Amino acid sequence: MEWLPSSSPVRLLEQPDPNYALPEPSRLLATYRAMVIGRRFDAQATTLTKQGRLAVYPSSRGQEACQVGAALSIGTDDWLFPTYRDSVSLVSRGIDPVEVLTLLRGDWHCGYDVPSTRTAPQCTPLATQTLHAVGLAHGESRKGNDTVAMALLGDGATSEGDFHEALNFAAVFRAPVVFFVQNNGYAISVPLAKQSAAPSLAHKGIGYGVRSEQVDGNDAAAVLSVLDSAVAHARAGNGPFLVEAHTYRMEPHTNADDAARYRSPEEVEHWQQRDPISLLERHLRAGGHLDDATAERIAGEAEEFAARVRTRMQEEPEVDPEDLFRHVYAEPTPQLLEQLAQLRTEQEAL
Amino acid sequence: MEWLPSSSPVRLLEQPDPNYALPEPSRLLATYRAMVIGRRFDAQATTLTKQGRLAVYPSSRGQEACQVGAALSIGTDDWLFPTYRDSVSLVSRGIDPVEVLTLLRGDWHCGYDVPSTRTAPQCTPLATQTLHAVGLAHGESRKGNDTVAMALLGDGATSEGDFHEALNFAAVFRAPVVFFVQNNGYAISVPLAKQSAAPSLAHKGIGYGVRSEQVDGNDAAAVLSVLDSAVAHARAGNGPFLVEAHTYRMEPHTNADDAARYRSPEEVEHWQQRDPISLLERHLRAGGHLDDATAERIAGEAEEFAARVRTRMQEEPEVDPEDLFRHVYAEPTPQLLEQLAQLRTEQEAL
Amino acid sequence: MAPTSMAQALNAALRDAIAEDERVMVFGEDVGRLGGVFRITDGLQASFGEDRCFDTPLAESGIAGFAVGMAMSGFRPVVEMQFDAFAFPAFEQVVSHIAKMRNRTRGAVGLPIVIRVPFAGGIGGVEHHCDSSEAYYAHTPGLKVVAPATAADAYSMLREAIDDPDPVVFLEAKKLYWSKQDIELPTTTEPIGRAAIRRPGRDATLIAYGPTVPLAVSAAEAAEEEGWDVQVVDARSLVPFDDETIAEAVRATGRCVVLQEAPGFAGVAAEIAARVQERCFHSLASPVLRVAGFDVPYPPPKLEHVHLPGVDRVLDALARLQWDDQPDTKWLDGVRNQEDAA
Amino acid sequence: MAPTSMAQALNAALRDAIAEDERVMVFGEDVGRLGGVFRITDGLQASFGEDRCFDTPLAESGIAGFAVGMAMSGFRPVVEMQFDAFAFPAFEQVVSHIAKMRNRTRGAVGLPIVIRVPFAGGIGGVEHHCDSSEAYYAHTPGLKVVAPATAADAYSMLREAIDDPDPVVFLEAKKLYWSKQDIELPTTTEPIGRAAIRRPGRDATLIAYGPTVPLAVSAAEAAEEEGWDVQVVDARSLVPFDDETIAEAVRATGRCVVLQEAPGFAGVAAEIAARVQERCFHSLASPVLRVAGFDVPYPPPKLEHVHLPGVDRVLDALARLQWDDQPDTKWLDGVRNQEDAA
Ligand SMILES: Cc1ncc(C[n+]2csc(CCOP(=O)(O)OP(=O)(O)O)c2C)c(N)n1
Ligand SMILES: Cc1ncc(C[n+]2csc(CCOP(=O)(O)OP(=O)(O)O)c2C)c(N)n1
Ligand SMILES: [Mg+2]
Ligand SMILES: [Mg+2]
């Protein structure tokens, strides 16, 4: 049946697929570059956390094909609805990395400008953002725009009721949304087998009349190709599309997590063998699209990128206590003004 | 694929089906009897509402095959989790009809004894009861019982997040639950096409690894046969099962509703042609399992049943104001005791 | 001037808002062809098309979350929750997103969403149809919460709520839908955030909102027989709250009872009582009392009359305002008024 | 006697409850192999097997609704919500079912469910990890709501909550998880429903619960310098509430400040303030004041110290208790005490 996803994840780097074309080498090279920079950024953020400069950091190491694929398969006029895990995706989308880290540094809940980046704040309450993506996509198409909204979520988040409601609203309103599930095998400590008994998470599309596909999330070419066609499907007015990418997070859930409690070194090692950057690099090199010089240049760019982040993160911007009251409402209520006055008195007493 | 439901609703009365057997004539006759009594009861309840004796009544006229099928396909040790729409199902299950009507008369929130009837209170917050069914079914199987829980819900309720969570929990825990969706085409005024874009509501099972089936909900034989196999599937430890029955409510959503605002007389007329009682009666008569005398006897029983309900509903039992405080907690809090004292003073002053 | 029910006033407000502002979108369960179970959206779809007033799938979290996205894309969603209790599935979207989005984004993304909630009881509804949920919302920073008690306020406040750049939980007392007032629409009443004195009085102040406002007026009228001249203040807006008007009113009478239908414990009346005694302590001749629903789940239709505050319960509370003590402390009044005002 | 953290005490309580009562089932997100993100369920699955402590799919409404069914089938579910804000998706199940089932069924079906909620802030968590949600639950009839502040109470009250025939929302102050107390387990403290005097004092009463209890004690100690002898009452249980102990305490001092971390408006402190002035009005030398979080969404880590009540803010409130007026009205105290007690 045409509305069934593939019975196994689409792969492209190691084998051709009848339904999906390999992206252009130049696009794959750009993807490779973004993945290398993204990984370096991710490592930098992990280091900053160890140094106490970030309150918390959820790493996406191992998921770079998805992180970058999501960012590169949509345009600047499209919208992204990311989670806490998707910092690398935001960086690949071109958002200032220090602004991305503002949330995790603890300065404010969102550090980048949502309207101009067309990127929603990184979302923590699981799956809730998928509904925002549907509403926004519907709103944009009402205005006659061909904007697509891409909603990122994890395997665990698919269990939340909001995901169900989002798929259904999107299908009923034929909203141009791509739901992109990064199935990294775990929701914190809970493995997929305790999360779902479905043939695949992509199969969840069927019950809504939402077209879906599953893809090898460590195969950057396949991720790009499948997301490209999902985005095209949505943009063309054919309604939402659900993509499940099978991937793995190499780091613990966050720096505060102890992954040894729930998974084996062998499992991690197994996935190490399918490292998305190595897979892509091997492919590019085999095709003659990447040589040592280019690889080195990109590694250098990544180092520079990280260095700039490191330097800029040295300065901790002053946070203004009065910010507490500034944006609760467009105009503060009399009650907030009273409380602000109280705070001022307290601050003056210091 | 074996986990796909039939592509069109299973029917049995008018044609054989390769996968489902026609129930025994005696069972069909018992079903017929329960449907006739159920419909008469339903009409009586509607009348009582017009007379102001019930606060509200959601009729299930037209859905008797489902109402009765649900009740007769489970045993007395099984549990039923009904909605506001399912009074006829409760009556068919053998619950005292006046106790069933207690909620709708406004005396109390549930009039029958939940533990001994193994029937949850009729549930109004949509789809919430499906989770209760899963928890209960799981609990019972933990205790080594082969109890099945049947959760009833409507087409509209399938859109709620709780339904999603219930299907998923049931699948992951392999809980013996039958989810029985009476798709009567509308959620109050909202037609199915605005509720879902899925190939069928039964297809929703796929995304959870829940086996499912769709059935003609006005074909009592098919409903029974499909529910029988769903219950057997669950009871045998194969996990949950989802059944969608395509049916129609002939009356407005409740007495307070004005169905003319959203559906045409032609549509109602069309479904009148597929009246579930007539369909079954025709079949039974054709097979020589029902003659005029039996039909009359059953009609008489139904009249008597309704008459008893009518008589018993004449007396409005006294409600005790102190009931307000009696069952909020096992023991009232000091605050409730104070409030009770206040109420007593007020009542004495009257 | 024409007798106008609150339901008609709300319908007119939606109609005028849709007509005047192309960003306004009305959606929810059964709001389209049916016009909503209370008919508040009656005729909107017929007049303005499915584009402007439409049914959604049956999922309240979905409705609220979808509204967030619509608002982010520049629209002004006005959503209907069918009954108080059926807004609970949307609680996470309301508390964690709708209330917080402006704050999270440092003001870059405001969400001008109106959540219309037919609230409170007294209509003989079976369970889950008569809850009062205002305290949940009023306790959540980032939401405005209003509860009109008259048809004129219903119209004016709904128009203002729709124009508000922030999310507004708009509580429509079910039992007042059919109560009428002689008014001319459109009309503009006091802005959101201001209370209104519904009845002057010198001896005690009743503070009410939504469904308890007419109750307060009836009780005040009945209190005349006891020789008490009772003032009635309609709070109108719970967030923001009009401390100024209310504290001044209570200081003038020195006695205060706060009314609400919701269970008393940790309800909005507790907040009002706490604020009033904080601000008016030295003017008070007796504690601020509350008359509320009991701390029980909303009862079945046959018992709602004993659960809901009625005139007698309000009179009882007024009687407990220690009238006899008054002479003892009256001499302190001048001093106290000064202290409170300081 | 051994130094025991609240986390250890909670873990021990779960362990002992599972061992002693075969109906007790612990489940939620990550409570199994991981032992919960705060490690409160650490080792339970290893000791008692997956049957007794297990992970569920990631869906809080699912967890709560599933618990309803488990309880109906005779079990005693103890569920963990990972953080306050992540219990919001379960709100409808909690309010419309868990709180009401006994009442709906005229007592036939009680739901002995414990909902453990790591609550409040002060741990430097990013958004949605530090909310305080007690008011939502305390306002909902049918729920018991408790908030221990010591390791001994954590143990004793959790055991009692699990044995309770009714649903209990068990609020665990995140910032106190690692605070230690010298105790011997098992231990039994005052029952749920009773407050405890944590510090005697004659001049003013601080009322606190959960995370504000240690704050109150610190403030009381600091107040000594100002010459104020400040009493600290730990409410412990919000529903039921110990009016007796608390009113008596306040009558004795005549001055009262209520502390909470949650935003002030319509919070539990409002209820306490309202109750206290209702019951102790004539013993009060000044209004009952509140020190609470501001009415803003919980701020980012770098600002939580200005948002959360601290010792200075409590001292400021104590200073506003109109100490100077005391002589003026002291002569009335006898009369007033009698009036309040009547
Ligand atoms: C509604 C809600 N419940 C619980 C949490 C706590 N939590 C944060 S991340 C997480 C696991 C999410 O797993 P998954 O969706 O697979 O995403 P991943 O972290 O693996 O990228 C949990 C339980 C939350 N953020 N929101
Ligand atoms: C959570 C929730 N939202 C809204 C309602 C109000 N409501 C009651 S019945 C109904 C329609 C339900 O339709 P469906 O599930 O198809 O069942 P039917 O009434 O057709 O049997 C609605 C919207 C409710 N009871 N619960
Ligand atoms: Mg995951
Ligand atoms: Mg229906």
Side-chain angles (χ1 to χ4, degrees):
Chain A
M1 257 145 281
E2 55 151 8
W3 37 261
L4 283 179
S6 315
S7 54
S8 67
V10 174
R11 291 184 171 185
L12 285 180
L13 284 178
E14 292 145 312
Q15 68 209 42
D17 183 283
N19 301 312
Y20 295 92
L22 201 64
E24 291 296 301
S26 63
R27 190 130 186 272
L28 288 180
L29 192 61
T31 301
Y32 171 79
R33 178 175 167 276
M35 287 168 72
V36 171
I37 294 177
R39 175 167 297 181
R40 186 62 192 83
F41 164 80
D42 189 84
Q44 183 59 59
T46 297
T47 308
L48 286 166
T49 313
K50 290 193 179 129
Q51 295 165 348
R53 295 213 159 266
L54 295 182
V56 63
Y57 182 71
S59 164
S60 63
R61 190 160 70 84
Q63 302 182 204
E64 290 87 355
C66 299
Q67 292 286 310
V68 171
L72 299 194
S73 61
I74 54 173
T76 46
D77 279 354
D78 293 324
W79 272 79
L80 188 66
F81 287 80
T83 76
Y84 53 90
R85 172 90 52 224
D86 303 308
S87 297
V88 167
S89 199
L90 302 197
V91 166
S92 309
R93 187 160 164 75
I95 301 181
D96 181 328
V98 171
E99 290 182 3
V100 169
L101 294 178
T102 299
L103 165 74
L104 304 163
R105 181 163 62 184
D107 295 4
W108 201 255
H109 310 299
C110 179
Y112 48 88
D113 183 55
V114 168
S116 63
T117 59
R118 296 173 90 81
T119 303
Q122 287 183 272
C123 186
T124 294
L126 295 166
T128 53
Q129 79 283 9
T130 59
L131 280 163
H132 308 168
V134 178
L136 180 121
H138 181 68
E140 292 300 307
S141 53
R142 275 287 185 82
K143 294 190 286 183
N145 300 332
D146 71 347
T147 311
V148 170
M150 177 164 304
L152 306 181
L153 68 157
D155 45 309
T158 66
S159 295
E160 292 281 6
D162 273 10
F163 179 53
H164 169 77
E165 301 187 9
L167 284 168
N168 195 43
F169 272 61
V172 166
F173 291 115
R174 283 181 88 83
V177 182
V178 175
F179 297 95
F180 184 36
V181 177
Q182 293 172 69
N183 171 1
N184 61 11
Y186 289 88
I188 310 187
S189 70
V190 180
L192 187 68
K194 296 205 168 140
Q195 200 66 250
S196 172
S200 84
L201 298 177
H203 282 73
K204 289 185 180 293
I206 300 166
Y208 306 92
V210 171
R211 291 291 294 275
S212 63
E213 189 55 282
Q214 53 177 325
V215 62
D216 180 338
N218 286 19
D219 179 329
V223 169
L224 268 181
S225 189
V226 167
L227 285 181
D228 280 351
S229 68
V231 169
H233 171 97
R235 201 181 310 282
N238 298 315
F241 204 105
L242 167 63
V243 176
E244 175 193 13
H246 299 264
T247 183
Y248 197 77
R249 79 168 142 73
M250 302 302 292
E251 298 283 330
H253 174 71
T254 68
N255 53 296
D257 179 39
D258 175 9
R261 285 189 170 233
Y262 55 82
R263 64 187 196 182
S264 67
E266 293 72 39
E267 185 181 294
V268 179
E269 177 50 32
H270 165 83
W271 280 92
Q272 186 64 54
Q273 300 308 313
R274 290 202 52 79
D275 180 75
I277 298 187
S278 312
L279 287 180
L280 181 57
E281 176 161 353
R282 204 175 308 150
H283 173 89
L284 287 170
R285 284 188 187 265
H289 308 298
L290 179 69
D291 55 20
D292 285 348
T294 314
E296 252 166 60
R297 200 200 66 226
I298 290 174
E301 281 184 67
E303 277 312 323
E304 267 172 50
F305 191 92
R308 273 196 307 276
V309 169
R310 206 161 48 232
T311 314
R312 291 177 57 203
M313 292 293 286
Q314 296 304 329
E315 6 163 335
E316 299 245 351
E318 277 287 304
V319 287
D320 179 358
E322 298 195 3
D323 271 358
L324 283 184
F325 299 100
R326 232 162 232 144
H327 307 295
V328 184
Y329 301 95
E331 297 289 337
T333 62
Q335 286 70 42
L336 288 183
L337 290 176
E338 262 185 26
Q339 294 170 26
L340 172 61
Q342 183 191 343
L343 179 69
R344 280 195 183 144
T345 317
E346 287 178 10
Q347 297 288 309
E348 280 157 17
L350 290 185
Chain B
M1 259 145 279
E2 55 151 9
W3 36 260
L4 283 179
S6 313
S7 54
S8 65
V10 174
R11 292 184 170 185
L12 285 181
L13 285 177
E14 292 144 313
Q15 68 208 43
D17 182 283
N19 301 311
Y20 295 92
L22 202 63
E24 291 296 301
S26 63
R27 189 129 186 273
L28 289 180
L29 191 62
T31 301
Y32 171 78
R33 178 175 167 277
M35 288 167 70
V36 171
I37 293 176
R39 176 167 297 178
R40 187 61 193 84
F41 164 79
D42 189 84
Q44 182 60 60
T46 297
T47 308
L48 285 166
T49 313
K50 289 192 180 130
Q51 296 165 349
R53 295 213 160 265
L54 295 182
V56 63
Y57 183 72
S59 165
S60 63
R61 190 160 69 85
Q63 301 182 204
E64 290 88 354
C66 300
Q67 292 286 308
V68 171
L72 299 194
S73 61
I74 55 173
T76 47
D77 279 354
D78 294 324
W79 272 79
L80 187 67
F81 288 81
T83 76
Y84 53 91
R85 173 89 52 225
D86 303 308
S87 298
V88 168
S89 199
L90 303 197
V91 166
S92 309
R93 187 161 164 73
I95 301 182
D96 181 330
V98 171
E99 290 182 4
V100 169
L101 294 178
T102 299
L103 164 74
L104 304 164
R105 182 164 61 186
D107 295 6
W108 201 255
H109 309 298
C110 179
Y112 48 88
D113 183 54
V114 168
S116 63
T117 60
R118 298 173 89 82
T119 304
Q122 287 183 270
C123 186
T124 293
L126 295 166
T128 53
Q129 79 282 7
T130 59
L131 280 162
H132 308 167
V134 177
L136 180 122
H138 181 67
E140 292 300 307
S141 54
R142 275 287 183 83
K143 293 190 287 183
N145 299 332
D146 71 348
T147 310
V148 170
M150 177 163 306
L152 305 182
L153 69 155
D155 45 307
T158 65
S159 295
E160 292 280 7
D162 272 11
F163 180 54
H164 169 79
E165 301 187 10
L167 283 169
N168 195 42
F169 271 60
V172 166
F173 290 117
R174 282 181 88 82
V177 181
V178 175
F179 298 94
F180 184 35
V181 177
Q182 293 171 71
N183 170 2
N184 59 11
Y186 289 88
I188 309 186
S189 70
V190 181
L192 187 68
K194 295 205 169 140
Q195 199 66 250
S196 171
S200 84
L201 298 177
H203 281 74
K204 289 185 180 291
I206 300 167
Y208 306 91
V210 170
R211 291 291 294 275
S212 63
E213 188 55 282
Q214 54 177 325
V215 61
D216 179 338
N218 286 19
D219 178 329
V223 169
L224 269 180
S225 189
V226 167
L227 285 181
D228 280 352
S229 69
V231 169
H233 171 99
R235 201 182 310 283
N238 299 315
F241 204 105
L242 166 64
V243 177
E244 175 194 12
H246 300 264
T247 183
Y248 198 77
R249 78 169 142 72
M250 301 303 290
E251 297 284 330
H253 175 70
T254 68
N255 53 294
D257 179 38
D258 175 9
R261 285 187 170 237
Y262 55 83
R263 66 187 194 182
S264 66
E266 292 73 39
E267 185 181 294
V268 180
E269 178 51 31
H270 165 83
W271 281 91
Q272 185 66 52
Q273 299 308 315
R274 289 202 54 79
D275 179 72
I277 299 188
S278 311
L279 288 180
L280 181 56
E281 176 162 349
R282 205 174 307 151
H283 173 90
L284 287 170
R285 285 190 186 263
H289 308 298
L290 179 68
D291 55 18
D292 286 348
T294 315
E296 250 166 61
R297 200 200 67 229
I298 290 175
E301 282 185 66
E303 278 312 322
E304 269 172 49
F305 191 91
R308 275 196 307 275
V309 169
R310 206 161 48 233
T311 314
R312 291 176 58 204
M313 292 293 287
Q314 295 304 328
E315 5 162 335
E316 298 247 348
E318 277 286 305
V319 288
D320 179 358
E322 298 195 4
D323 271 359
L324 282 183
F325 299 100
R326 231 161 233 144
H327 307 295
V328 183
Y329 302 95
E331 297 288 337
T333 62
Q335 285 70 40
L336 288 182
L337 290 176
E338 263 184 26
Q339 294 170 26
L340 171 61
Q342 183 192 342
L343 179 68
R344 281 193 184 146
T345 318
E346 288 178 7
Q347 297 286 309
E348 280 156 18
L350 290 184
Chain C
M1 301 289 248
T4 307
S5 70
M6 189 184 277
Q8 287 167 327
L10 292 166
N11 180 265
L14 292 173
R15 183 171 286 278
D16 293 350
I18 294 178
E20 286 174 30
D21 185 343
E22 62 178 15
R23 299 167 303 173
V24 174
M25 297 277 166
V26 173
F27 54 91
E29 294 159 10
D30 302 292
V31 298
R33 262 193 285 184
L34 188 66
V37 296
F38 291 106
R39 303 292 186 269
I40 306 303
T41 59
D42 194 23
L44 298 182
Q45 188 173 81
S47 304
F48 300 101
E50 269 214 64
D51 257 22
R52 307 297 301 284
C53 175
F54 55 96
D55 292 328
T56 64
L58 211 173
E60 295 77 10
S61 189
I63 293 168
F66 186 80
V68 170
M70 288 283 283
M72 288 176 76
S73 132
F75 290 95
R76 297 192 159 242
V78 182
V79 305
E80 175 172 307
M81 296 284 155
Q82 209 160 72
F83 288 84
D84 282 75
F86 308 145
F88 297 156
F91 201 66
E92 181 187 33
Q93 286 288 353
V94 173
V95 172
S96 292
H97 287 297
I98 295 183
K100 296 188 170 70
M101 187 67 86
R102 175 184 297 282
N103 188 62
R104 301 166 76 195
T105 60
R106 288 187 192 268
V109 183
L111 297 179
I113 298 170
V114 176
I115 305 175
R116 293 183 36 245
V117 182
F119 105 113
I123 57 159
V126 295
E127 56 168 1
H128 309 293
H129 287 81
C130 286
D131 298 70
S132 288
S133 51
E134 70 273 23
Y136 301 131
Y137 302 116
H139 182 56
T140 304
L143 301 176
K144 294 187 175 177
V145 185
V146 303
T150 67
D153 266 358
Y155 180 91
S156 180
M157 292 169 82
L158 183 50
R159 292 298 307 271
E160 196 187 344
I162 294 172
D163 288 343
D164 199 291
D166 285 307
V168 179
V169 176
F170 194 89
L171 301 165
E172 304 171 0
K174 294 172 204 111
K175 69 153 77 128
L176 301 185
Y177 272 143
W178 306 282
S179 71
K180 295 200 172 175
Q181 192 186 5
D182 259 345
I183 50 170
E184 194 82 63
L185 294 181
T187 183
T188 305
T189 62
E190 299 86 345
I192 286 176
R194 301 308 311 247
I197 311 289
R198 294 290 175 215
R199 187 185 198 275
R202 281 167 312 179
D203 295 337
T205 302
L206 294 177
I207 304 175
Y209 55 88
T212 54
V213 173
L215 167 67
V217 171
S218 306
E221 283 162 6
E224 277 180 23
E225 277 180 42
E226 309 284 333
W228 299 322
D229 183 19
V230 175
Q231 179 191 43
V232 174
V233 183
D234 176 357
R236 300 175 74 250
S237 168
L238 305 179
V239 181
F241 190 76
D242 187 352
D243 281 314
E244 211 179 304
T245 304
I246 286 173
E248 194 184 309
V250 176
R251 278 188 208 122
T253 62
R255 288 185 170 78
C256 176
V257 180
V258 191
L259 314 186
Q260 76 179 17
E261 273 199 15
F265 201 88
V268 167
E271 176 61 40
I272 299 179
R275 303 183 86 73
V276 164
Q277 62 89 34
E278 282 161 6
R279 284 165 175 71
C280 313
F281 184 75
H282 296 288
S283 313
L284 287 171
S286 81
V288 180
L289 297 184
R290 292 176 285 165
V291 172
F294 294 123
D295 290 315
V296 305
Y298 198 88
K302 289 206 186 143
L303 286 176
E304 65 181 2
H305 66 287
V306 276
H307 172 64
L308 292 178
V311 167
D312 287 344
R313 202 172 291 160
V314 179
L315 290 176
D316 284 353
L318 284 169
R320 282 186 291 125
L321 291 176
Q322 304 170 350
W323 299 90
D324 298 339
D325 302 347
Q326 196 171 10
D328 297 350
T329 52
K330 199 76 192 174
W331 63 273
L332 274 172
D333 280 3
V335 186
R336 283 171 169 179
N337 275 328
Q338 278 169 9
E339 280 172 10
D340 284 328
Chain D
M1 301 289 250
T4 307
S5 69
M6 189 183 279
Q8 288 167 327
L10 292 166
N11 182 266
L14 292 173
R15 185 171 284 280
D16 294 351
I18 294 177
E20 286 174 30
D21 185 343
E22 62 178 14
R23 298 168 304 175
V24 174
M25 297 277 165
V26 173
F27 54 90
E29 294 160 9
D30 302 291
V31 298
R33 261 193 286 186
L34 189 67
V37 295
F38 291 106
R39 302 292 185 268
I40 306 303
T41 60
D42 195 23
L44 299 182
Q45 187 173 82
S47 305
F48 300 100
E50 269 212 64
D51 257 22
R52 307 299 300 283
C53 175
F54 56 94
D55 292 328
T56 63
L58 210 173
E60 295 78 9
S61 189
I63 293 168
F66 186 80
V68 170
M70 289 284 284
M72 287 176 77
S73 129
F75 290 95
R76 296 193 160 245
V78 182
V79 305
E80 175 172 306
M81 296 284 154
Q82 208 159 72
F83 289 83
D84 282 77
F86 308 146
F88 297 155
F91 201 66
E92 181 188 32
Q93 286 287 352
V94 173
V95 172
S96 292
H97 286 297
I98 295 183
K100 296 188 169 68
M101 187 66 87
R102 176 183 296 283
N103 189 61
R104 300 167 75 196
T105 60
R106 288 187 190 271
V109 183
L111 297 179
I113 297 171
V114 176
I115 304 176
R116 294 183 36 244
V117 181
F119 104 113
I123 57 161
V126 294
E127 56 169 1
H128 308 294
H129 287 81
C130 286
D131 298 68
S132 288
S133 50
E134 70 273 22
Y136 301 131
Y137 303 116
H139 182 57
T140 304
L143 302 176
K144 294 187 176 176
V145 184
V146 303
T150 68
D153 266 357
Y155 180 91
S156 180
M157 292 170 83
L158 184 50
R159 293 298 306 271
E160 198 187 345
I162 294 172
D163 289 343
D164 199 291
D166 285 306
V168 179
V169 176
F170 194 89
L171 301 166
E172 304 171 359
K174 293 171 203 111
K175 71 152 77 126
L176 301 185
Y177 272 142
W178 306 282
S179 71
K180 295 201 171 174
Q181 192 186 7
D182 260 345
I183 50 171
E184 195 82 64
L185 293 181
T187 184
T188 304
T189 61
E190 298 86 343
I192 286 175
R194 301 309 309 248
I197 310 287
R198 294 289 174 217
R199 187 184 197 277
R202 282 167 311 178
D203 296 337
T205 302
L206 294 176
I207 304 175
Y209 56 88
T212 54
V213 173
L215 166 67
V217 172
S218 307
E221 284 162 6
E224 276 180 23
E225 278 181 41
E226 308 285 332
W228 299 320
D229 184 18
V230 174
Q231 179 190 42
V232 174
V233 183
D234 176 357
R236 300 174 75 250
S237 170
L238 306 179
V239 180
F241 190 76
D242 187 352
D243 281 313
E244 211 180 304
T245 304
I246 285 172
E248 196 185 308
V250 176
R251 280 190 207 122
T253 63
R255 288 185 171 78
C256 177
V257 180
V258 191
L259 314 185
Q260 76 179 18
E261 273 198 15
F265 201 88
V268 168
E271 177 61 39
I272 299 178
R275 303 183 84 72
V276 164
Q277 62 89 33
E278 282 160 7
R279 285 165 174 71
C280 314
F281 184 75
H282 296 287
S283 313
L284 287 172
S286 80
V288 180
L289 298 184
R290 292 177 284 165
V291 172
F294 295 122
D295 290 316
V296 305
Y298 198 89
K302 290 207 185 141
L303 286 177
E304 64 180 2
H305 66 285
V306 275
H307 171 65
L308 293 177
V311 168
D312 286 344
R313 201 171 293 160
V314 179
L315 290 176
D316 286 350
L318 284 169
R320 282 186 290 127
L321 292 176
Q322 304 169 353
W323 299 91
D324 298 338
D325 303 343
Q326 195 171 13
D328 297 349
T329 54
K330 199 78 190 174
W331 63 273
L332 276 171
D333 279 4
V335 187
R336 284 170 167 179
N337 275 328
Q338 278 169 8
E339 280 171 9
D340 283 327

